[in-house]
Amino acid sequence: CLQQLELKDVILRTGDQLKIKGFVLHDADRFHIDLGNDANDLALHFNPRFHDNADGSVLVFNSKTAGCWGEERREIPNPLHRGKEVKIVLKLAGDVFEVEIPDDHEFKFPNQESVDVISYIRIGGDFKLTSFKIC
């Protein structure tokens, strides 16, 4: 079942962390965590894929400005696994986003628009969200 959480008018400032716990579905194809101002302006699009046409299992990072996608950054392989519980921490750290996933994997993605407040969060795809915290 595809579930989506969409939050508007949240406040996530530089230095804040978004902690997400959930379960990657057994037959997961992909899921996403988006941070930005709205659906057309995303400072961070974090998209773990388990069966990508080009790269198989891959983490895709991107941003979207005025409805246009930026340049993808791909990390191979995707260290997340289907059928497992995961904890993902996303941090707005000034000029970069830091994304921590299990087994001490940390990725940095540039905050290209120098956004200092995130007001929109969307989580969706083949992922069952169990816990969500801004701290």
Side-chain angles (χ1 to χ4, degrees):
C1 63
L2 187 70
Q3 61 168 19
Q4 181 159 290
L5 172 74
E6 191 172 37
L7 298 174
K8 298 172 182 172
D9 303 323
V10 293
I11 295 180
L12 184 68
R13 290 196 170 88
T14 301
D16 289 349
Q17 291 186 344
L18 174 61
K19 295 183 178 179
I20 292 166
K21 276 189 195 156
F23 190 78
V24 180
L25 300 186
H26 287 285
D27 56 352
D29 182 33
R30 62 178 62 186
F31 68 92
H32 60 266
I33 302 171
D34 295 331
L35 306 179
N37 293 322
D38 57 43
N40 289 315
D41 284 291
L42 302 176
L44 175 67
H45 170 69
F46 174 62
N47 181 212
R49 298 178 187 176
F50 300 91
H51 192 71
D52 182 73
N53 292 340
D55 295 318
S57 184
V58 59
L59 297 179
V60 176
F61 295 83
N62 208 339
S63 59
K64 189 191 256 192
T65 307
C68 297
W69 287 108
E71 193 174 325
E72 276 187 355
R73 202 180 93 216
R74 291 174 163 252
E75 297 282 349
I76 304 166
N78 170 359
L80 298 174
H81 299 285
R82 291 172 168 154
K84 295 262 194 236
E85 190 178 51
V86 294
K87 180 179 165 192
I88 302 170
V89 179
L90 301 99
K91 185 174 182 183
L92 178 52
D95 58 351
V96 295
F97 288 93
E98 294 172 359
V99 179
E100 292 171 27
I101 57 178
D103 301 325
D104 294 326
H105 292 282
E106 187 179 293
F107 302 93
K108 290 182 169 31
F109 183 76
N111 180 1
Q112 286 152 333
E113 298 291 314
S114 300
V115 175
D116 53 7
V117 177
I118 297 293
S119 57
Y120 176 82
I121 298 170
R122 182 175 59 194
I123 302 168
D126 302 325
F127 183 77
K128 185 178 190 317
L129 184 68
T130 55
S131 155
F132 177 95
K133 189 165 139 189
I134 294 175
C135 49

